[in-house]
Amino acid sequence: MPTTTTQIQLLQPDDWHLHIRDGEVMKDVLADTARQFARAIIMPNLKPPVTTVSLASAYRARIEANLKSLGISDFTPLMTLYLTDNTSADEVRKAKAEGIAAFKLYPAGATTNSDAGVSDIKRCHSALEAMQAVGMPLLVHGEVTSSEIDIFDREAVFIDQVLEPLRQNFPELKIVFEHITTKQAAHYVRDAQTGGKNILAATITPQHLLMNRNAIFAGGIRPHNYCLPVLKREEHRLALIDVATSGNSRFFLGTDSAPHAKGAKEAACGCAGCYSAFNALGLYAEAFESVGKLDKLEGFASLFGPDFYSLPRNTKTVTLVKQAQNIPAELPLGDATIVPLRAGETIAWTLA
Ligand code: NCD
Ligand code: ZN
């Protein structure tokens, strides 16, 4: 009889794509992440966006103040800058010197708070050249924004129109294709030739490993399952599961946990973003267990990310136990509330 795993131990993971916002709500979401992860790549899509080293330093200081008030001393935010048409090569070099972890490319209008994003990547030539020269990773939101392109095709079209030419022009640039959602993206990253160099990777969210697009319309419209890039067909989910659980070091954990207050999601024009931070590790464990690959979770969650970013691996360990955790219907978010992923249901794995 096959034995069932009831407990797994991992080196402590990091979250390589996270939104924690700013102001009053930040401390509510930070605590959830810091319970599970040692470090997180902090997305810069604030209003206004974090476009300079000095804005990032101020944001880091606000994060550190919140961590202090929460009594958390073992969590490190890894700061990013928001790339614009006007980002200079000097700002890139300064960012490198100041320990900024990456730049983020949002095609203008692609997602939440991306209006100040890049209108045409050709405008970023000198900044990209500097990133390539200093080894600064570029994190890409990989969707074209043209309204004529079907929303379910925008990621695949981005590969042909933007990503492949970008890689041709900057063959040494370190790139993370963020929150991939399609078979095309999974296979593109898996099969790309990089001359043996560790310069191309992708992050994958728990929702894209666990759900397909039916989840947005199950018995009625489900705003809390709506994020960008939007969930895709089952064949795409299966392709993501396949690469995530394959042990290929190009694929690692990035929750894209993106908090929006309940009222901003349950609205005539609801915001994009799933709040997975409450028990993101449990969700990933479910996804890996569903294909009998729990043994591949540690690489994905804890090893491949730091290796890509040339950061040391964590040394502490965490233990996940197979014990159903009830997920609250709502959680506090400043003066409002937030509805977490799986609200009112259970997650099969819990952090010990
Ligand atoms: C993110 C957000 O709300 O900031 N939303 C989302 O649906 N993922 C932005 C993003 O990462 O695209
Ligand atoms: Zn995001």
Side-chain angles (χ1 to χ4, degrees), residues 84-121:
T84 72
D85 289 354
N86 305 314
T87 304
S88 68
D90 267 353
E91 198 66 30
V92 172
R93 288 187 283 267
K94 191 170 160 199
K96 180 71 183 178
E98 298 290 321
I100 299 292
F103 274 70
K104 177 69 191 267
L105 163 66
Y106 288 102
T111 187
T112 307
N113 301 347
S114 64
D115 296 346
V118 170
S119 67
D120 183 346
I121 192 144

Side-chain angles (χ1 to χ4, degrees), residues 17 19 21 45 106 111-112 141 179 227-228 256 258 260 272-273:
H17 183 127
H19 301 266
R21 314 302 188 203
N45 62 330
Y106 288 102
T111 187
T112 307
H141 183 110
H179 44 50
C227 66
L228 286 171
D256 193 20
H260 293 279

Side-chain angles (χ1 to χ4, degrees), residues 66-82:
N66 275 299
L67 289 168
K68 198 166 172 207
S69 78
L70 289 162
I72 297 168
S73 57
D74 55 358
F75 177 80
T76 307
L78 302 171
M79 306 309 292
T80 62
L81 293 191
Y82 186 112

Side-chain angles (χ1 to χ4, degrees), residues 114-289:
S114 64
D115 296 346
V118 170
S119 67
D120 183 346
I121 192 144
K122 292 189 190 77
R123 301 221 163 120
C124 299
H125 197 91
S126 61
L128 293 168
E129 214 160 49
M131 277 177 226
Q132 176 170 255
V134 301
M136 174 67 79
L138 177 69
L139 317 182
V140 301
H141 183 110
E143 289 190 288
V144 293
T145 54
S146 154
S147 59
E148 295 98 75
I149 310 276
D150 190 280
I151 188 167
F152 291 99
D153 297 333
R154 287 179 190 172
E155 183 174 282
V157 173
F158 179 89
I159 298 172
D160 296 335
Q161 289 190 356
V162 185
L163 185 55
E164 179 57 24
L166 176 70
R167 291 189 53 246
Q168 298 285 338
N169 290 334
F170 300 96
E172 305 280 319
L173 181 62
K174 277 187 133 174
I175 297 174
V176 184
F177 196 166
E178 297 282 39
H179 44 50
I180 59 168
T181 64
T182 57
K183 181 170 67 181
Q184 288 89 340
H187 293 176
Y188 180 82
V189 171
R190 183 192 66 189
D191 300 336
Q193 302 294 317
T194 60
K197 298 194 183 95
N198 188 12
I199 55 171
L200 180 66
T203 54
I204 310 182
T205 77
Q207 66 267 24
H208 292 98
L209 291 174
L210 289 165
M211 296 188 284
N212 64 39
R213 65 193 195 177
N214 286 346
I216 312 169
F217 307 105
I221 192 136
R222 303 283 182 164
H224 301 291
N225 292 340
Y226 170 60
C227 66
L228 286 171
V230 69
L231 295 173
K232 304 296 192 299
R233 283 180 181 276
E234 179 66 0
E235 64 176 300
H236 297 290
R237 187 187 75 83
L238 292 173
L240 297 175
I241 282 276
D242 195 49
V243 292
T245 64
S246 67
N248 183 331
S249 61
R250 288 186 180 174
F251 299 93
F252 49 79
L253 186 157
T255 63
D256 193 20
S257 181
H260 293 279
K262 182 173 192 252
K265 295 281 294 172
E266 298 175 6
C269 185
C271 294
C274 295
Y275 187 64
S276 60
F278 186 70
N279 181 7
L281 267 186
L283 291 167
Y284 281 111
E286 275 190 7
F288 278 65
E289 186 184 35

